[in-house]
Amino acid sequence: MSEHNLSRMGTDFWGSPLPVRKEEDQPGGAASTGNDDTMAPPVEEPAPPEKMEDLQAELDSYIGLAAVKKEVKNLINMVTVYKLRRDNDLPTTDLSLHMVFSGNPGTGKTTIARIMARIYHALGILSKGQLVEVDRSGLVAGYVGQTALKTSKVIDSALGGVLFIDEAYALNGRAENDFGQEAIDTILKAMEDHRDDLVVIVAGYDGLMDAFIHSNPGLESRFNRFLHFDDYSVDEMLEIFKMQCRKGCYELGDGVEQQLREFIAEENTNSISFGNARGVRNLFERILVNQANRLAALDAVTREDLMKITTRDVALARGLEEEPECGAAQKSRSTPDAPPAGAAEEDLK
């Protein structure tokens, strides 16, 4: 970290407050890039630094991620002590702020990258604190000479914040004429040229990320802080589902919670294909479809009906019950039951 970084911290180390931002998957601070070779990702105007107390409280509120939370707090403490040593004219060593995130899909890597950008901004390390999220398709072009230009545009949009490269191992050359290495070289140069105001976080699967970092001496020298994201337990994924319910003002009916735990355990036979928190959100959406179908068949729907998730909604999502035929449902709404044979005329009035 340079003297320039620390000078931006000012006397108010924790910064000024910012209205609480809600997410998740967390604030929309990430600018995602696609295949447009001519335009850099849009970047919002920089927000004022947030209070570190608020950021730490938000970090603590995330479900699971115990080891990740501990490492992030260690980093915050290291930067704080670094500043104090400089203020007291004591020798310091440079801190490596670039990071490697490894873990299966849906384990919170993007979420933590977003809050890291905001933490670095609050600490005075980054001038803006935005997150620019990109993958191979947003960096590598198909023709000679275009990849460096395309990658440079993405880097320019990330200056003052964090460049988050998902599935970074895909940049490793796939063939003799692959331009992934050109993107890596451009990123490494930018990390050196803009070391005062750019942090790069690369992410992906465990073994593949390890091989990627050790495939290039330049990567090895710049990335020495590794965070592993464990898979969520069934109980943690159930809590994520309940969190989604609280955000959407849904309530679980009698017996639904145990049924959900069983449903998650059944679906999560492979954490990679299920996707951890991502898989839970998919289940949540499937259950809401069944709730909507059930409510659409009612003549009148109350506020409580709109909020309630029932065991039948979950059972249909699990495939334990068959959905009623559309015609039968419509008939029950639009036509009365046929009168019993032999009913008197006055009985029908």
Side-chain angles (χ1 to χ4, degrees):
M1 189 184 308
S2 69
E3 185 73 26
H4 174 65
N5 293 331
L6 292 171
S7 67
R8 287 198 302 264
M9 293 184 182
T11 55
D12 182 7
F13 181 71
W14 302 118
S16 56
L18 183 73
V20 175
R21 294 185 280 182
K22 298 182 180 179
E23 202 215 342
E24 142 188 73
D25 251 351
Q26 303 311 292
S32 180
T33 67
N35 293 314
D36 191 338
D37 292 357
T38 61
M39 297 183 62
V43 178
E44 298 178 358
E45 289 297 318
E50 301 172 68
K51 283 188 174 180
M52 190 58 62
E53 299 93 334
D54 295 337
L55 291 169
Q56 289 181 319
E58 181 179 331
L59 179 66
D60 290 337
S61 72
Y62 295 161
I63 295 170
L65 303 173
V68 172
K69 292 176 184 177
K70 181 179 178 180
E71 183 62 25
V72 171
K73 291 178 181 179
N74 289 343
L75 179 59
I76 293 171
N77 292 337
M78 289 176 63
V79 174
T80 304
V81 172
Y82 183 98
K83 177 183 182 294
L84 292 173
R85 288 184 62 89
R86 294 302 296 260
D87 290 345
N88 286 275
D89 296 322
L90 293 171
T92 59
T93 57
D94 288 337
L95 292 176
S96 175
L97 301 175
H98 307 295
M99 310 178 81
V100 179
F101 288 0
S102 62
N104 289 327
T107 49
K109 296 187 291 295
T110 304
T111 295
I112 294 299
R114 288 192 181 111
I115 198 170
M116 286 306 306
R118 294 157 61 198
I119 287 173
Y120 284 149
H121 183 35
L123 291 172
I125 296 168
L126 296 174
S127 60
K128 298 178 183 178
Q130 83 278 18
L131 179 88
V132 173
E133 181 180 357
V134 71
D135 58 14
R136 176 188 165 90
S137 66
L139 298 171
V140 179
Y143 300 96
V144 175
Q146 290 187 341
T147 292
L149 178 62
K150 185 175 183 179
T151 301
S152 294
K153 289 180 179 179
V154 173
I155 291 170
D156 288 343
S157 71
L159 291 180
V162 170
L163 174 61
F164 179 72
I165 307 174
D166 196 18
E167 297 183 351
Y169 46 78
L171 293 174
N172 274 336
R174 299 176 178 177
E176 183 178 349
N177 295 325
D178 185 83
F179 303 115
Q181 185 58 50
E182 185 179 357
I184 293 174
D185 294 339
T186 305
I187 292 166
L188 290 175
K189 185 176 186 301
M191 292 168 70
E192 180 64 25
D193 294 345
H194 304 287
R195 59 183 179 274
D196 289 344
D197 208 18
L198 175 67
V199 169
V200 178
I201 298 177
V202 292
Y205 293 109
D206 288 324
L208 293 174
M209 286 307 300
D210 187 64
F212 170 68
I213 295 299
H214 295 301
S215 68
N216 186 308
L219 293 171
E220 283 185 306
S221 65
R222 288 169 176 81
F223 291 98
N224 58 12
R225 188 176 297 278
F226 293 76
L227 288 186
H228 173 72
F229 289 70
D230 292 324
D231 291 332
Y232 288 108
S233 68
V234 172
D235 286 339
E236 288 172 339
M237 286 188 280
L238 176 62
E239 189 57 38
I240 290 171
F241 188 99
K242 292 162 67 176
M243 178 186 68
Q244 292 288 331
C245 289
R246 290 191 294 270
K247 287 184 176 182
C249 294
Y250 291 98
E251 297 177 353
L252 302 181
D254 293 339
V256 172
E257 184 168 331
Q258 179 57 36
Q259 195 176 20
L260 282 171
R261 180 180 282 103
E262 295 172 358
F263 189 19
I264 292 170
E266 290 169 359
E267 294 291 307
N268 188 38
T269 55
N270 186 309
S271 58
I272 295 178
S273 60
F274 181 66
N276 289 279
R278 194 174 305 163
V280 173
R281 290 194 297 272
N282 290 337
L283 297 188
F284 181 71
E285 292 171 1
R286 285 163 57 185
I287 290 171
L288 291 190
V289 168
N290 293 321
Q291 187 222 35
N293 290 339
R294 174 173 57 81
L295 296 180
L298 300 178
D299 291 323
V301 179
T302 67
R303 175 182 173 86
E304 289 70 24
D305 291 332
L306 292 170
M307 296 173 63
K308 185 64 65 69
I309 293 176
T310 68
T311 54
R312 178 168 174 77
D313 298 332
V314 180
L316 286 169
R318 294 176 69 183
L320 300 180
E321 295 188 26
E322 294 183 0
E323 295 187 42
E325 295 182 5
C326 182
Q330 292 295 326
K331 179 179 179 180
S332 66
R333 297 181 61 191
S334 58
T335 60
D337 293 336
E345 183 177 353
E346 56 267 27
D347 292 335
L348 304 179
K349 295 181 180 179

